[in-house]
Amino acid sequence: MTNATTVAEPAIGTDEGAGRKPQQRGDTRGRLLAAAQDLFVSKGFHATRPQDISKAAGVGHGTFYLHFKDKQACFLAFAEAAAEALDAYVESHAGEELTPYEAIRESIRLTYDFSRAHPGLLAAALTDMSVIDGGEGGSILMGRWGIMWGEMLADWQAEGKVAPHVDAGFIGYAIPGIIRQAGEYAAGKETTEQEPLDALMAFLAAGLGLTKNEET
């Protein structure tokens, strides 16, 4: 996939209040998160140590624990910041008064644009929690986005814009996975940016009962 748009750096590791001195608590946490982002993306969760993050942020190792309980807490803060950066990008670039078909297409296109502009960022943020803590598994962000998609589908369904047979909650959870896997597949293929998006939208539109230019 080619022709990625230029996307501003994610708002990860930044703090409001530009007039504050760098040594203040919020700025230090911001530097730690910015360093964590670089390391989680380039090295992965397990290969990144708290002392590596502290060193990259230019602070003492003990300072890390003034801001994060442990590496997992730091990772969760990084993942949340990455999600917020993506959400902000999609919101700021998506059009208004879109049909469900147009809204879904724009959301997917902008997600792919963001991902191409920040290689590895979303992949790192979507790390399965079972890899981190040995728990039940699953990506926190995938669950968050699944709820969001489910709520949107339910709202459209209530307005008669999504087919009544669609299980909005179930399909809502499935859509983020479809988007992720389709993007990974397309990234390894010699294809234009348009082709995989068209194929994905044809599938989703048929399943959801959407039309391309008109509301159902």
Side-chain angles (χ1 to χ4, degrees):
M1 299 175 71
T2 58
N3 301 324
T5 59
T6 300
V7 182
E9 285 300 313
I12 299 176
T14 61
D15 296 282
E16 295 181 358
R20 290 180 299 173
K21 295 181 180 180
Q23 66 266 30
Q24 290 185 315
R25 183 178 178 88
D27 299 306
T28 301
R29 187 178 189 277
R31 295 208 309 274
L32 285 165
L33 272 177
Q37 173 187 333
D38 291 341
L39 291 168
F40 287 141
V41 169
S42 62
K43 299 176 64 175
F45 177 83
H46 287 295
T48 298
R49 304 175 300 171
Q51 54 264 47
D52 299 327
I53 296 172
S54 300
K55 182 178 180 180
V59 301
H61 179 43
T63 303
F64 177 90
Y65 295 100
L66 296 176
H67 299 272
F68 305 104
K69 177 183 176 182
D70 52 26
K71 184 172 69 168
Q72 180 174 332
C74 181
F75 174 83
L76 293 175
F78 148 72
E80 179 66 22
E84 290 176 356
L86 171 60
D87 291 347
Y89 177 71
V90 172
E91 279 190 29
S92 66
H93 289 77
E96 298 181 359
E97 302 299 326
L98 301 178
T99 66
Y101 180 96
E102 294 166 338
I104 293 172
R105 184 183 179 87
E106 272 297 276
S107 180
I108 297 173
R109 182 184 68 80
L110 291 168
T111 297
Y112 287 161
D113 283 351
F114 182 92
S115 183
R116 286 193 302 272
H118 303 288
L121 178 64
L122 293 183
L126 289 168
T127 298
D128 192 315
M129 289 303 294
S130 65
V131 175
I132 295 175
D133 62 11
E136 296 180 357
S139 163
I140 291 176
L141 297 187
M142 292 292 275
R144 164 180 166 167
W145 289 329
I147 292 172
M148 179 193 74
W149 278 101
E151 290 175 346
M152 285 196 302
L153 292 180
D155 288 344
W156 286 331
Q157 195 172 50
E159 297 170 0
K161 299 174 183 177
V162 166
H165 69 269
V166 173
D167 184 329
F170 178 77
I171 299 302
Y173 260 82
I175 287 178
I178 293 171
I179 295 172
R180 181 182 184 183
Q181 292 301 110
E184 290 180 358
Y185 176 82
K189 298 292 182 180
E190 289 295 328
T191 179
T192 66
E193 179 180 333
Q194 193 79 7
E195 290 170 336
L197 185 56
D198 286 344
L200 185 54
M201 282 307 303
F203 171 78
L204 291 174
L208 296 173
L210 307 178
T211 56
K212 188 171 184 178
N213 297 312
E214 298 178 353
E215 301 174 353
T216 57

